[in-house]
Amino acid sequence: MDKEKQTFWRSYLSGLQLSVAVAAYTKVPPTWRDDDYVPDINKLYFIEDGEGYVAVGDERHYPKPGSLCLLPAERRQSYGTMGERTFSKYWCHFTAKLGGLHLFHALEAPVVVAIDDLPRMKALFDRLLDAHKSPDWTAGMHEQAALLEILAIFIEQARPASAVPADGAIQKMNAVLAYIETHLADNLTVEELAGLLHFHPNYFSRVFKRTTGLSPIQYVNRKRMDKARHQLAFSATSVSNIAFSLGMEPTYFSRMFKEHTGLAPSEYRDSFA
């Protein structure tokens, strides 16, 4: 992937929203099988032992021990056993979205990847399972952190091709995204951002959402919350000053932060203490 695309995808992926539905370790029974169904959630299998098959569309794969398998949401798929030596596997069902788009609709990734560092992957899945079962109030953050690292490894080793957006859109949107990044404290408007590309605001909004999965204002607010999370975690700056640095009144900032993270700013900061 060239430098321009890397710049775009780094900014794009920073807004990835994850949610784990279930995670476990299982020795599957001989009856483990389902054919030609379309789930609304992603599935991730890390195969430790055994044999079987997984399929997405018309492509069938036979993962070996040490493989990480991704069955993306809203794609026709199948799975099943091939004998008595069934899969022993870590597995996770999850959602991963960029705005309203499924992550693996935006990235064309293979179904099966052979993992280089097996002890690391096993340790990450152990962390994911421990966090998923934990009653601690910060367990969801640890759960997402483990899944994020697993997905990062999968994407790095898969080297997927970007399905969207097209190169021309990347070049244009890189300039807009960079402008947003350096003007988060300003009262950014759709008209101002559209003017950077000499687009009509309505057309700009359509192109922006098709490219990023978010409306311009949703994207600006997401980047503000990303910056706020970093400042709360790694600085002693007061909540009020963080809000002002982002061009927001403290009360409105706190309400928006809780909508985005589920935690008040002070609660989020305390989780890193």
Side-chain angles (χ1 to χ4, degrees):
M1 189 181 291
D2 62 38
K3 186 175 181 179
E4 192 172 74
K5 287 184 179 179
Q6 286 187 18
T7 299
F8 179 87
W9 282 102
R10 178 168 181 166
S11 178
Y12 194 38
L13 289 172
S14 69
L16 181 62
Q17 298 174 316
L18 293 178
S19 177
V20 177
V22 61
Y25 181 88
T26 303
K27 169 71 171 175
V28 305
T31 55
W32 183 73
R33 180 183 300 272
D34 205 346
D35 290 312
D36 293 327
Y37 71 104
V38 181
D40 60 1
I41 202 164
N42 304 292
K43 297 180 177 182
L44 201 58
Y45 302 155
F46 178 48
I47 309 299
E48 265 211 318
D49 193 24
E51 57 184 9
Y53 71 88
V54 295
V56 175
D58 295 325
E59 295 186 10
R60 181 172 288 206
H61 303 265
Y62 302 92
K64 304 295 184 183
S67 298
L68 190 59
C69 310
L70 176 77
L71 283 68
E74 298 180 5
R75 294 286 190 264
R76 179 171 59 86
Q77 55 192 250
S78 304
Y79 61 81
T81 59
M82 295 171 55
E84 294 184 359
R85 188 168 163 264
T86 62
F87 283 145
S88 295
K89 63 183 178 70
Y90 290 91
W91 57 279
C92 173
H93 294 181
F94 67 100
T95 58
K97 291 192 175 182
L98 294 161
L101 297 175
H102 287 290
L103 170 63
F104 294 103
H105 290 186
L107 288 175
E108 292 179 341
V111 176
V112 178
V113 170
I115 297 302
D116 294 335
D117 190 340
L118 298 182
R120 180 186 179 191
M121 184 58 65
K122 183 178 185 303
L124 284 170
F125 268 98
D126 285 334
R127 277 175 46 198
L128 174 63
L129 267 58
D130 287 345
H132 188 67
K133 293 182 291 186
S134 172
D136 292 345
W137 69 288
T138 57
M141 299 171 71
H142 292 292
E143 180 181 67
Q144 290 199 10
L147 181 55
L148 271 173
E149 192 167 349
I150 291 169
L151 292 178
I153 293 170
F154 176 85
I155 291 170
E156 287 165 357
Q157 294 196 207
R159 297 187 178 278
S162 58
V164 292
D167 288 351
I170 289 174
Q171 187 174 18
K172 291 176 180 179
M173 285 303 158
N174 268 345
V176 176
L177 299 184
Y179 184 85
I180 290 172
E181 198 74 38
T182 56
H183 291 79
L184 289 175
D186 299 344
N187 181 26
L188 294 170
T189 64
V190 172
E191 289 74 17
E192 178 183 357
L193 297 175
L196 297 174
L197 302 182
H198 307 290
F199 284 177
H200 186 280
N202 291 343
Y203 176 71
F204 171 78
S205 293
R206 290 196 299 272
V207 172
F208 192 96
K209 187 163 188 178
R210 188 168 65 244
T211 305
T212 67
L214 298 171
S215 73
I217 299 308
Q218 286 174 328
Y219 183 88
V220 169
N221 287 333
R222 189 190 74 188
K223 297 303 292 185
R224 285 172 173 155
M225 296 304 102
D226 288 346
K227 188 171 183 179
R229 284 198 294 268
H230 186 271
Q231 289 181 292
L232 288 166
F234 300 108
S235 81
T237 307
S238 70
V239 172
S240 293
N241 284 340
I242 291 174
F244 291 134
S245 75
L246 297 172
M248 305 172 74
E249 289 295 323
T251 301
Y252 178 67
F253 165 75
S254 294
R255 185 167 67 249
M256 179 177 288
F257 189 88
K258 189 166 186 178
E259 288 175 358
H260 278 253
T261 67
L263 296 171
S266 57
E267 293 174 326
Y268 185 87
R269 170 169 277 164
D270 288 345
S271 71
F272 289 87

